Amino acid sequence: MKKLASVLMSLAAVIGGRAYAQAAQPQAALRIAPAEQLLESHCSSCHGEDSQKGDVRFDKLGALPLAERLALMNRMQEQAYLGFMPPKSRKSQPTAAERKALLDWIGGELHVHNASTLEDKLRLPAYGNYVDHDKLFSGEITDAPFTPARRWLVSPQIFSQRASDVFGPMGFGRPATLYGVTNPFVLPDASGVRYYDNESLDGGALLVMLTNADWMSQKQLLGPRVKGGEMKADALPNPQDRWVPKNYPAAFDAIVIKKEPPTDAEITEAVRAQFASVLQRAPGEAELAKYAKLTRDAVAIGGNSEGLRQMLLAVLLESEFLYRMEFGAGAADAHGRRMLAPREGAYAIAYALGDRGPDAKLLQAAEQGRFATREDYKREVLRLLDDKTYYAGEIDPALSGKNMRAHVTSHPRLVRFFRDFFGYPMATKVFKDPERGAGIYQNPDRGTAGTPGFLVNEADRVVDHILQKDRDVFATLLGTDEFIVYYNREPAVGRAIIAEWKKVWASLKDTKWKTEPDKVMAENLPLLTASKTLQFPKNGPHQKREFMRHMYFFSDYFEKGVTPFTTIPTAHGYYINHSPFYSLPPTPLRGRYEPVENPRFKGLDDATFWDYPLEQPFKIENRKGILTHPAWLIAHSLNTETDPVRRGRWIREKLLAGRVPDVPITVDAKVPEDHHKTLRERLDKVTSAQQCIKCHQYMNPLGLPFEQFDDFGRFRSQEALEHAENIVGHAPGAKADSPIYKTLPVNTRGALDSTGAAALDGEVKDAFDMIDRLAKSPRVRQSFIRHAFRFFMGRNEMLSDSRTLIEADKAYVQSGGSFRAVVVSLLTSDSFLYRK
């Protein structure tokens, strides 16, 4: 192959570089010598004159048109940075120094034309793990940490809170949701940290904000317009949108009620009031002058009310309403960093811990100069973590519906980190065939999150319970055998309910309550009506029905010495029957007791139901941590079968800080049908090909041990071969569409391989064995720390964040595994405090 020196010389002369702008000079030729040698040594045999694998060749690089050349160099940069090229199968690999020299050269050429696409990619969540893990935690990086100065689009939760705050503090008769406000921001549906600082508004979002601002400004002036006689209180334009804000700035009244144009002073006060309502700050002099002029001009054209509304609307469209500003202030330090301005820092702390802006104490500290040091940040972070009311609320309001309420906790955003990390809320996005789910699985529908909603809510409760204890948090989340299922009452309340039910049952079980219910009720009416938990009707058409339903319900449990769930299945809105997805016995379905008062009722079948534990959390067999929770297993499954590839990739990327290349667009990633083989057998067959195994070797061995759970999260030792030709019968008493299939044994063996931690590598016999080893691994702990960094910083880590990550890891270890200690460490780190 021809030497590449002349090619590289011409390339440098054409496109230049930071250090090679004058390529004709001798020193330019010398600066590209390392690239020449590296390309000759490691690339020419595959991408030269004699061989062009992937239709790529470098010997003609300098002759390519600029656009093609830059595109090819971007591919070179990405492949070299990610370590994909040269292929690992090549014995001759560049040293770390050689790879850096090559990347520096390519980067220099691309930067001249502002053409590097890798830098943008590395800011995306999926590329976070491409920063070398060992380097991050080695201590060899001594750079001063910082975060790039940024304008950060608010999250959907922050936007909702900001929109509501326009109409005054919480608790002033404000509706839970604002009828005319649409949230323009949507986080991606994926496991992993989703709220990053690299999103920006597009045209669609701006159109939504225009509509929002129009509605909000109209609402802001409803009160003044009614007071001024412009409209009647009941003459609202939309009969479905009847809410009228009770509180609004008095400055609006002063303008709307007047018949003559407002004075400059009145306009100034209105502008100040709107800035306080929308941006929670006073306007600067230039802003005040700009909006005062806008108001005067608009009033001259449209009158007082409409002129004022145009100013209100314009402030609502300020980018500051939609973005978080973090640029730093003051003089730069020796490293070129500026500390966050006190107001910037106050909002950064507030939004790191929740969705609300700073509380009064935090704002006061910022205004009074008591928020300027690391100790000031630590004081405020600890205070807000100790505050159990300021951020308190539902973890996921979307789960609340006609059948359930989302779990409420003091700091929902801390739980949301683990929701994002584990990705179990995605269970509500996976559609399942209810008949495959024992006929009890309910997909999310209008007004309900269905069965997966209950499971996700219960996973939230487990996470919150572990966070409240705050000891050995990461390992406990992975290894706990304690779960929360159906739990809706404190133990003391539950015991009182069961005691009263047992009292009624003990008194009436030997009577003729089945054959003479009216007589038994009449003779025992004081006993029945005295029960507070039974809620027995004293008279009316439903008296007999409720009596018999409860008695049959009691007989199902108390005759067999087991404890029922503390809500009878025929209660209004009862849809709680998902215990089988934990591999627990079932609870009675809603329809079991509905026909008991019918004269033709012939009695109940002899069923065995779950012995409900009043004290929770409680231990469940064949479960170990969140990775065996039905919510996680369903979230990482397909519609009709498990997904060991996705599960394995999750472990590789989230727990091992590893990376797996994306599926090439030329690959048809489908597992072939074969009704006589297990999914594992079919997957092994299709992924064992050389072009597949080079990626699947990093996923399959990690995901296949979880085949001991089906795609509904049920523990199994046999896999059903679900196809019509494999039906061997039907479930006893079941409908014809509840078949029993042939089965094959589940192979749960797998391996931890190429983890980056030699002590962790090795074969595993099943998912439990794998989880035990992962839970004890320092690398897994550090991977948790890396993802926590991304969550609270809103960006991927850089090598310069090494000190921040090491200190957070140290804080976790020294505190006995406190997540709170990690949060405090991160929110008082240089990465959080400084911008550059």
Side-chain angles (χ1 to χ4, degrees):
M1 179 183 174
K2 295 179 180 178
K3 286 289 184 180
L4 292 172
S6 60
V7 177
L8 297 175
M9 283 285 289
S10 64
L11 175 63
V14 173
I15 65 175
R18 286 174 299 182
Y20 327 115
Q22 300 179 19
Q25 297 183 13
Q27 65 267 30
L30 292 174
R31 295 296 297 272
I32 61 171
E36 171 201 354
Q37 295 167 2
L38 286 168
L39 291 171
E40 280 284 357
S41 301
H42 301 290
C43 308
S44 62
S45 61
C46 294
H47 304 293
E49 182 178 19
D50 302 323
S51 175
Q52 295 94 40
K53 290 188 177 180
D55 295 325
V56 172
R57 61 186 298 179
F58 297 150
D59 60 320
K60 299 292 185 181
L61 196 59
L64 291 174
L66 180 62
E68 292 182 31
R69 185 185 309 122
L70 294 177
L72 179 54
M73 294 193 75
N74 265 305
R75 292 173 63 188
M76 293 168 62
Q77 184 185 41
E78 182 168 344
Q79 294 292 309
Y81 180 86
L82 301 182
F84 295 155
M85 290 295 168
K88 291 186 178 180
S89 58
R90 289 281 302 271
K91 292 182 179 180
S92 175
Q93 290 289 323
T95 65
E98 289 175 327
R99 192 178 294 274
K100 182 178 184 301
L102 180 62
L103 287 168
D104 285 346
W105 173 74
I106 298 174
E109 305 304 322
L110 291 171
H111 267 283
V112 170
H113 299 276
N114 194 27
S116 174
T117 59
L118 178 63
E119 291 181 8
D120 285 340
K121 284 185 177 181
L122 291 177
R123 297 179 65 223
L124 299 175
Y127 284 80
N129 287 356
Y130 285 106
V131 180
D132 188 276
H133 184 88
D134 293 329
K135 278 189 178 181
L136 280 173
F137 288 92
S138 69
E140 66 186 84
I141 306 298
T142 58
D143 297 356
F146 69 95
T147 287
R150 57 189 177 180
R151 189 176 67 153
W152 185 1
L153 193 65
V154 299
S155 70
Q157 293 88 356
I158 293 174
F159 172 79
S160 295
Q161 188 66 53
R162 285 189 173 187
S164 296
D165 285 345
V166 170
F167 299 101
M170 297 179 69
F172 280 79
R174 195 175 65 201
T177 57
L178 300 176
Y179 180 88
V181 175
T182 300
N183 203 312
F185 317 127
V186 179
L187 297 180
D189 283 336
S191 63
V193 179
R194 301 174 296 151
Y195 177 39
Y196 266 50
D197 68 357
N198 53 14
E199 296 291 332
S200 60
L201 288 172
D202 58 19
L206 288 171
L207 289 175
V208 171
M209 283 309 304
L210 281 167
T211 304
N212 287 345
D214 183 70
W215 182 90
M216 294 170 75
S217 61
Q218 296 279 9
K219 284 292 182 183
Q220 285 185 286
L221 293 186
L222 278 180
R225 282 175 164 168
V226 170
K227 186 180 290 187
E230 283 189 34
M231 61 182 294
K232 294 182 179 180
D234 59 351
L236 297 174
N238 185 348
Q240 295 180 323
D241 181 17
R242 308 291 298 175
W243 177 63
V244 177
K246 295 181 180 180
N247 296 276
Y248 53 87
F252 297 172
D253 272 345
I255 294 177
V256 173
I257 294 176
K258 287 187 71 170
K259 302 303 180 186
E260 61 274 6
T263 66
D264 287 349
E266 289 169 336
I267 289 174
T268 296
E269 283 306 305
V271 173
R272 292 185 188 277
Q274 184 67 344
F275 264 71
S277 296
V278 177
L279 304 181
Q280 282 79 54
R281 66 172 177 85
E285 290 185 12
E287 292 171 319
L288 193 58
K290 180 180 74 171
Y291 279 102
K293 182 179 185 304
L294 168 65
T295 309
R296 282 191 295 270
D297 292 346
V299 165
I301 297 172
N304 286 11
S305 292
E306 188 57 26
L308 173 61
R309 194 179 77 82
Q310 292 303 313
M311 182 274 289
L312 304 183
L313 189 151
V315 176
L316 286 163
L317 290 173
E318 277 281 347
S319 65
E320 190 178 339
F321 185 54
L322 306 172
Y323 285 90
R324 301 165 54 176
M325 309 297 186
E326 297 177 1
F327 299 115
D333 67 6
H335 307 286
R337 309 175 304 171
R338 288 180 171 83
M339 194 171 186
L340 289 171
R343 179 180 171 83
E344 291 175 336
Y347 275 88
I349 287 289
Y351 288 142
L353 296 176
D355 303 323
R356 301 183 65 187
D359 68 352
K361 291 182 179 179
L362 186 52
L363 285 175
Q364 188 178 54
E367 291 166 359
Q368 295 177 352
R370 294 184 291 106
F371 196 60
T373 68
R374 195 182 312 278
E375 286 305 311
D376 289 337
Y377 274 73
K378 185 174 182 180
R379 180 195 67 234
E380 295 302 322
V381 170
L382 289 172
R383 179 182 66 79
L384 288 168
L385 285 173
D386 287 335
D387 190 327
K388 303 302 181 184
T389 60
Y390 186 67
Y391 293 115
E394 294 178 333
I395 294 171
D396 184 1
L399 293 179
S400 292
K402 60 186 180 183
N403 300 327
M404 65 172 289
R405 303 302 302 174
H407 181 55
V408 173
T409 188
S410 63
H411 291 80
R413 193 161 193 270
L414 300 190
V415 179
R416 286 186 200 138
F417 162 65
F418 293 99
R419 297 176 109 240
D420 279 5
F421 179 81
F422 285 108
Y424 59 79
M426 283 298 295
T428 61
K429 306 290 185 180
V430 181
F431 180 86
K432 297 288 186 184
D433 178 2
E435 294 304 326
R436 291 185 61 248
I440 60 173
Y441 193 89
Q442 180 190 11
N443 286 297
D445 202 350
R446 186 173 182 178
T448 175
T451 300
F454 282 108
L455 298 170
V456 168
N457 203 37
E458 289 169 352
D460 284 343
R461 301 190 73 169
V462 172
V463 172
D464 191 34
H465 174 76
I466 292 171
L467 284 180
Q468 296 302 325
K469 289 189 171 183
D470 202 31
R471 300 291 297 176
D472 206 17
V473 169
F474 301 153
T476 304
L477 284 165
L478 290 175
T480 184
D481 60 357
E482 293 190 331
F483 293 79
I484 296 174
V485 185
Y486 284 27
Y487 186 67
N488 67 344
R489 291 181 173 88
E490 293 296 323
V493 176
R495 285 192 292 269
I497 292 173
I498 298 302
E500 282 201 350
W501 286 358
K502 283 185 174 180
K503 180 180 178 181
V504 171
W505 172 251
S507 299
L508 304 181
K509 64 179 182 178
D510 296 326
T511 65
K512 296 181 178 180
W513 61 268
K514 291 183 180 179
T515 57
E516 299 179 19
D518 293 306
K519 180 181 179 182
V520 174
M521 280 192 300
E523 293 173 349
N524 295 277
L525 196 58
L527 171 69
L528 296 171
T529 56
S531 173
K532 296 179 181 179
T533 60
L534 199 59
Q535 295 183 337
F536 185 77
K538 294 183 179 180
N539 49 48
H542 303 308
Q543 188 183 57
K544 177 181 176 182
R545 182 187 70 185
E546 292 304 312
F547 172 70
M548 297 195 71
R549 285 180 176 180
H550 275 85
M551 291 300 290
Y552 273 106
F553 175 62
F554 296 160
S555 70
D556 269 339
Y557 283 91
F558 298 142
E559 277 191 350
K560 299 173 183 177
V562 294
T563 302
F565 176 49
T566 50
T567 302
I568 188 170
T570 51
H572 179 70
Y574 184 97
Y575 287 93
I576 305 174
N577 48 35
H578 54 272
S579 58
F581 303 112
Y582 291 90
S583 303
L584 295 167
T587 48
L589 298 180
R590 182 177 180 84
R592 180 173 176 85
Y593 306 110
E594 289 184 347
V596 295
E597 66 171 331
N598 191 310
R600 291 177 292 180
F601 176 66
K602 296 180 179 180
L604 300 173
D605 61 293
D606 186 24
T608 300
F609 296 116
W610 177 32
D611 189 358
Y612 177 73
L614 296 170
E615 301 279 347
Q616 295 203 24
F618 67 103
K619 296 182 184 296
I620 300 181
E621 287 187 82
N622 297 318
R623 300 282 160 177
K624 189 182 288 290
I626 297 298
L627 303 191
T628 66
H629 196 288
W632 189 87
L633 293 164
I634 292 172
H636 297 84
S637 75
L638 301 173
N639 301 116
T640 59
E641 57 191 3
T642 61
D643 193 344
V645 176
R646 187 187 305 178
R647 292 172 180 177
R649 180 168 188 163
W650 187 93
I651 292 170
R652 176 69 61 183
E653 293 179 340
K654 301 300 187 298
L655 296 183
L656 298 174
R659 49 191 187 260
V660 179
D662 289 330
V663 180
I665 59 174
T666 56
V667 172
D668 184 15
K670 290 183 179 180
V671 179
E673 292 285 340
D674 188 331
H675 310 309
H676 304 286
K677 287 183 170 58
T678 64
L679 175 62
R680 178 176 186 141
E681 291 170 332
R682 293 184 282 130
L683 180 66
D684 286 345
K685 181 178 180 180
V686 74
T687 60
S688 59
Q690 181 59 37
Q691 66 270 26
C692 300
I693 198 62
K694 64 182 181 181
C695 292
H696 279 272
Q697 64 181 323
Y698 298 115
M699 300 181 287
N700 294 15
L702 299 174
L704 286 168
F706 290 89
E707 285 297 277
Q708 64 191 102
F709 299 94
D710 71 8
D711 61 300
F712 288 93
R714 297 171 294 200
F715 182 79
R716 65 183 181 179
S717 59
Q718 297 282 321
E719 178 178 341
L721 303 178
E722 297 184 17
H723 190 266
E725 66 185 72
N726 294 324
I727 295 175
V728 295
H730 290 85
K735 300 179 294 184
D737 55 1
S738 299
I740 298 174
Y741 297 99
K742 292 179 183 177
T743 63
L744 287 175
V746 173
N747 180 355
T748 62
R749 302 200 69 82
L752 286 160
D753 187 34
S754 303
T755 63
L760 192 56
D761 286 350
E763 293 187 358
V764 297
K765 64 180 181 180
D766 56 24
F768 304 136
D769 183 21
M770 178 182 289
I771 290 170
D772 282 339
R773 294 166 67 172
L774 290 169
K776 299 173 185 175
S777 168
R779 187 179 182 91
V780 172
R781 182 189 72 232
Q782 292 165 354
S783 188
F784 268 103
I785 296 292
R786 291 183 68 172
H787 283 85
F789 176 97
R790 298 171 199 176
F791 184 82
F792 289 104
M793 302 293 171
R795 63 173 177 84
N796 290 336
E797 57 274 40
M798 304 179 290
L799 281 177
S800 58
D801 294 305
S802 172
R803 192 173 72 199
T804 296
L805 292 162
I806 290 173
E807 289 174 353
D809 187 43
K810 182 179 178 181
Y812 179 81
V813 173
Q814 292 184 345
S815 64
S818 165
F819 186 63
R820 175 188 169 112
V822 173
V823 173
V824 174
S825 178
L826 290 173
L827 300 189
T828 56
S829 69
D830 281 9
S831 297
F832 190 83
L833 270 61
Y834 287 95
R835 298 294 175 268
K836 185 176 178 180

